[in-house]
Amino acid sequence: MSDTEAYHRLPWKDRFNQPTVNVLRKSLPAEAVETLDNLRKRLLSLDGVEEVMAWYGHCWHWTLTYRTTHAKDPLAVVIPSPDDLQLAVPVDPDFAKSLPLKRMKRAVREGLDLAREPFNTRWASWSLQAPKLIDDLMDLVDLKLRHLARKAG
């Protein structure tokens, strides 16, 4: 292995070079590209939501972050890991209490469980290996957006 190969980093992990969406897409397997494109289209169709590239440290690296003017925290974050495309949503206690958990699918509830006691994080997250999960997650993101709009007044 040459020195240049030894130091090659995936664009997703290279903190010092902000990648474009297209560069991140090229690092993903074909099925994940399709899922990413679908998810991005749906997130960007939400009223008042914008996409920005953001560095989230050595755990999530470069992410596609979706913001709204209703809150300082992001609405949602897409982690374009070549091994496991993921969606993460910060969940505050008020929003968590407002959710109709019994009506939600098990996979959505399990991701939300990560943002509740006894875990020490406010981030719910899901692997997007099953593209059908996107519909349910978009329902959750839409609920969060409406929750934030009500809080903002």
Side-chain angles (χ1 to χ4, degrees), residues 20-29 33-34 36-37 40 80:
T20 64
V21 172
N22 284 336
V23 167
L24 291 175
R25 287 175 80 250
K26 289 177 184 174
S27 299
L28 298 173
V33 170
E34 187 176 325
L36 175 67
D37 290 346
R40 287 185 66 229

Side-chain angles (χ1 to χ4, degrees), residues 94-138:
D94 289 341
F95 177 57
K97 290 176 189 171
S98 74
L99 293 172
L101 293 174
K102 290 182 181 179
R103 291 192 315 220
M104 294 181 156
K105 291 187 178 170
R106 180 178 171 198
V108 176
R109 287 193 317 264
E110 286 175 351
L112 286 166
D113 284 345
L114 297 173
R116 299 173 17 174
E117 294 292 334
F119 297 104
N120 191 22
T121 181
R122 61 189 179 96
W123 287 93
S125 63
W126 299 266
S127 175
L128 299 176
Q129 302 291 329
K132 292 180 182 182
L133 184 59
I134 289 177
D135 289 337
D136 299 313
L137 294 176
M138 284 304 303

Side-chain angles (χ1 to χ4, degrees), residues 53-72:
M53 192 73 63
W55 177 257
Y56 269 79
H58 294 288
C59 182
W60 288 348
H61 309 287
W62 285 108
T63 66
L64 300 171
T65 302
Y66 297 85
R67 298 195 167 278
T68 176
T69 58
H70 301 306
K72 278 178 40 176

